[in-house]
Amino acid sequence: WAGVSFLLVPVERCHMTDLINTEKDLVVSLKDYIKAEESKLEQIKKWAEKLDQLTDTATKDPEGFLGHPVNAFKLMKRLNTEWGELESLVLKDMSDGFISNMTIQRQFFPNDEDQTGAAKALLRLQDTYNLDTDTLSRGNLPGVKHKSFLTAEDCFELGKIAYTEADYYHTELWMEQALKQLECRLARSLTCMCVYPEHQRANGNMKYFEYIMAKEKEANKSSTDSEE
Amino acid sequence: WAGVSFLLVPVERCHMTDLINTEKDLVVSLKDYIKAEESKLEQIKKWAEKLDQLTDTATKDPEGFLGHPVNAFKLMKRLNTEWGELESLVLKDMSDGFISNMTIQRQFFPNDEDQTGAAKALLRLQDTYNLDTDTLSRGNLPGVKHKSFLTAEDCFELGKIAYTEADYYHTELWMEQALKQLECRLARSLTCMCVYPEHQRANGNMKYFEYIMAKEKEANKSSTDSEE
């Protein structure tokens, strides 16, 4: 397995170590954004809860409520000034720091070409060590630390790249793998199995693949990138 | 107490009942906004947590991490495509519905004049029934339902309005009341009493009042409008 490291030239390796630090830095500023957004939302929720109670009381007995002149004054004050302040808070942008960090770091990001390069390196590795897609997508490479999985989308990406290289052998292998993982995920996420349509095995049938992909995305909207 | 209702002409009363419904409607769309924002934030937090773990592992042993070609491929894919998707999610505006509702409803909102009018009605009531500021600010009006309090800011507002009317008698009464309530709140919110500065009784000393107001706001930032 010593050969694996030779798939990337030393300069690339060094650059990639920088990318790891870049990503770490982005995570830090993303967490700052989350904290700021949560505290903003907390303030808004406090106001909403207070006003929810208040308007509940007021709408149930408007005459009685307005009969208290302090309530009348406070209603005027809320609508004339306080709701406007609340609106400013809602409109307050907490993402500035994170977004400008993204903008700065983006210039060092890998591009499509780099992504394709890394995918091709994986396909070469597959051939060199004669690995099947299942083993590779489970990250089962003996002797390698920090095991990592390929999601259905990753497998689809590999198939697509093989396809643009007119490498139909790998295209079929990886599209099959992507489909298999999607089906597993779909079966897990669908509670009612009866809505699962009868399907023919889709040997390289892109249309069907895209259909099932969209369906899966619908059913699984909440998880941004759940691992297979 | 039947006289109280005569302080507002019937048309105003009817209009004010509408305002109660307007406010109820705003609360509903504010709660929708909160739900949408929370679900967006939930997705972002999931990504942040996943990436936090991942970058922790990666930065501790970059060589070992990148030694796994699947990790290298996924790092490329994350930086080239997935972080961009996350950025779009961060930039996604969830407040549209609430803000346009505010914009529509704002035309029916009371203005400064209405707010001043309601304040003057309170001052007239105070004279008519010979009420002290403490009783009125606690909402202790016998026979009136839906008891409501005046905050220090409300009292300050009443004092300010009396001042612009050159009514220095009520100005002093309400500024005193505001100051008293602020001092109580400040004493409650300051954990270390030693930072509480020696102060002279500020009879109408606006500068001191504003200083204490700012200090109090600092100490009490989290609560948007805590009631006295």
Side-chain angles (χ1 to χ4, degrees):
Chain A
W1 287 95
V4 172
S5 55
F6 293 118
L7 287 166
L8 298 162
V9 293
V11 179
E12 259 179 347
R13 269 310 256 289
C14 173
H15 176 55
M16 281 175 76
T17 311
D18 286 348
L19 289 181
I20 285 178
N21 292 324
T22 299
E23 202 171 39
K24 179 89 190 162
D25 189 51
L26 286 176
V27 172
V28 171
S29 72
L30 181 64
K31 281 162 79 182
D32 285 346
Y33 158 71
I34 291 172
K35 251 189 222 155
E37 196 69 55
E38 277 182 331
S39 119
K40 169 183 156 179
L41 209 53
E42 211 38 63
Q43 272 181 278
I44 295 170
K45 277 171 84 171
K46 257 192 196 163
W47 171 264
E49 275 157 30
K50 184 181 133 185
L51 267 285
D52 199 25
Q53 275 195 317
L54 210 57
T55 52
D56 247 21
T57 313
T59 46
K60 267 174 201 149
D61 176 20
E63 287 297 312
F65 184 82
L66 292 172
H68 197 313
V70 169
N71 285 332
F73 167 67
K74 284 171 81 84
L75 175 67
M76 293 293 151
K77 188 165 174 257
R78 272 202 309 278
L79 287 169
N80 185 41
T81 57
E82 294 173 14
W83 274 100
E85 286 162 17
L86 190 269
E87 189 185 23
S88 306
L89 182 61
V90 167
L91 288 170
K92 200 168 167 190
D93 180 21
M94 314 307 276
S95 67
D96 258 13
F98 171 67
I99 296 298
S100 42
N101 200 5
M102 273 293 283
T103 309
I104 293 165
Q105 304 289 3
R106 180 171 283 124
Q107 58 185 314
F108 308 115
F109 276 14
N111 55 23
D112 286 345
E113 211 176 310
D114 299 315
Q115 191 176 330
T116 306
K120 282 195 215 161
L122 260 186
L123 297 179
R124 278 200 302 274
L125 185 82
Q126 185 185 10
D127 290 346
T128 309
Y129 296 96
N130 198 24
L131 301 166
D132 61 87
T133 52
D134 215 55
T135 306
L136 199 53
S137 83
R138 282 177 207 279
N140 276 335
L141 309 185
V144 163
K145 288 186 286 185
H146 310 300
K147 205 169 118 167
S148 182
F149 303 87
L150 290 168
T151 63
E153 289 79 6
D154 293 333
C155 295
F156 178 69
E157 186 66 27
L158 285 173
K160 232 173 52 184
I161 285 164
Y163 184 80
T164 53
E165 301 283 307
D167 170 1
Y168 302 114
Y169 169 67
H170 281 118
T171 305
E172 202 178 312
L173 282 180
W174 283 105
M175 288 299 179
E176 275 277 345
Q177 182 66 28
L179 198 57
K180 206 167 75 185
Q181 291 185 197
L182 272 184
E183 284 172 343
C184 282
R185 213 200 282 173
L186 189 62
R188 275 205 306 270
S189 63
L190 287 178
T191 41
C192 175
M193 292 305 285
C194 29
V195 303
Y196 192 44
E198 269 308 312
H199 70 277
Q200 322 105 305
R201 203 78 193 138
N203 247 326
N205 185 339
M206 288 270 200
K207 275 267 168 285
Y208 175 72
F209 186 87
E210 275 154 16
Y211 159 78
I212 213 168
M213 197 111 164
K215 205 170 182 78
E216 197 280 331
K217 229 173 189 168
E218 278 270 314
N220 216 15
K221 229 170 194 167
S222 62
S223 73
T224 30
D225 187 18
S226 72
E227 302 284 54
E228 282 298 303
Chain B
W1 286 97
V4 173
S5 55
F6 292 118
L7 288 165
L8 298 163
V9 294
V11 179
E12 257 178 349
R13 267 313 253 289
C14 173
H15 176 56
M16 280 177 79
T17 311
D18 287 346
L19 289 182
I20 286 178
N21 292 324
T22 300
E23 201 171 39
K24 178 90 188 160
D25 190 49
L26 286 176
V27 172
V28 171
S29 72
L30 182 64
K31 280 161 82 182
D32 285 345
Y33 157 72
I34 291 172
K35 250 189 221 155
E37 195 68 53
E38 277 182 330
S39 121
K40 168 184 156 179
L41 208 53
E42 211 38 64
Q43 273 182 279
I44 295 170
K45 275 170 86 173
K46 256 192 197 164
W47 170 266
E49 274 157 30
K50 184 181 132 183
L51 267 285
D52 200 23
Q53 275 193 317
L54 210 57
T55 52
D56 247 20
T57 313
T59 45
K60 268 176 199 146
D61 175 20
E63 287 297 312
F65 184 81
L66 292 172
H68 197 312
V70 169
N71 285 331
F73 167 67
K74 285 171 80 85
L75 176 66
M76 292 292 150
K77 189 166 173 255
R78 274 202 306 278
L79 288 169
N80 185 40
T81 59
E82 295 172 13
W83 274 101
E85 286 161 17
L86 189 268
E87 188 185 21
S88 306
L89 182 62
V90 167
L91 288 170
K92 201 168 166 189
D93 181 23
M94 315 307 278
S95 67
D96 258 13
F98 171 68
I99 296 298
S100 42
N101 200 6
M102 274 292 286
T103 309
I104 293 165
Q105 304 288 5
R106 180 169 284 123
Q107 59 186 311
F108 308 114
F109 276 14
N111 54 24
D112 286 347
E113 212 176 308
D114 299 314
Q115 189 175 333
T116 306
K120 282 195 216 158
L122 260 185
L123 297 179
R124 278 199 304 273
L125 184 83
Q126 184 185 10
D127 290 347
T128 309
Y129 296 95
N130 197 25
L131 301 167
D132 62 86
T133 52
D134 214 52
T135 306
L136 199 52
S137 83
R138 283 176 206 280
N140 277 337
L141 310 185
V144 163
K145 286 185 288 183
H146 310 297
K147 202 170 122 167
S148 184
F149 303 87
L150 290 168
T151 63
E153 289 78 6
D154 292 334
C155 296
F156 178 71
E157 185 67 28
L158 285 172
K160 232 172 52 182
I161 286 164
Y163 184 81
T164 53
E165 300 284 305
D167 170 0
Y168 303 113
Y169 169 67
H170 282 120
T171 305
E172 200 177 312
L173 282 181
W174 284 105
M175 288 298 179
E176 275 276 346
Q177 181 66 26
L179 198 58
K180 206 168 74 184
Q181 291 186 197
L182 272 185
E183 283 172 343
C184 282
R185 214 201 280 171
L186 189 61
R188 275 206 307 271
S189 63
L190 286 178
T191 41
C192 174
M193 292 305 287
C194 28
V195 303
Y196 192 46
E198 269 308 313
H199 70 278
Q200 321 107 306
R201 201 80 192 138
N203 248 324
N205 185 340
M206 288 271 198
K207 275 269 168 282
Y208 175 71
F209 186 87
E210 275 156 15
Y211 159 78
I212 213 168
M213 197 110 162
K215 205 170 181 73
E216 197 281 330
K217 231 175 188 167
E218 277 270 313
N220 218 14
K221 228 170 197 170
S222 62
S223 74
T224 29
D225 188 18
S226 71
E227 304 284 54
E228 279 302 302

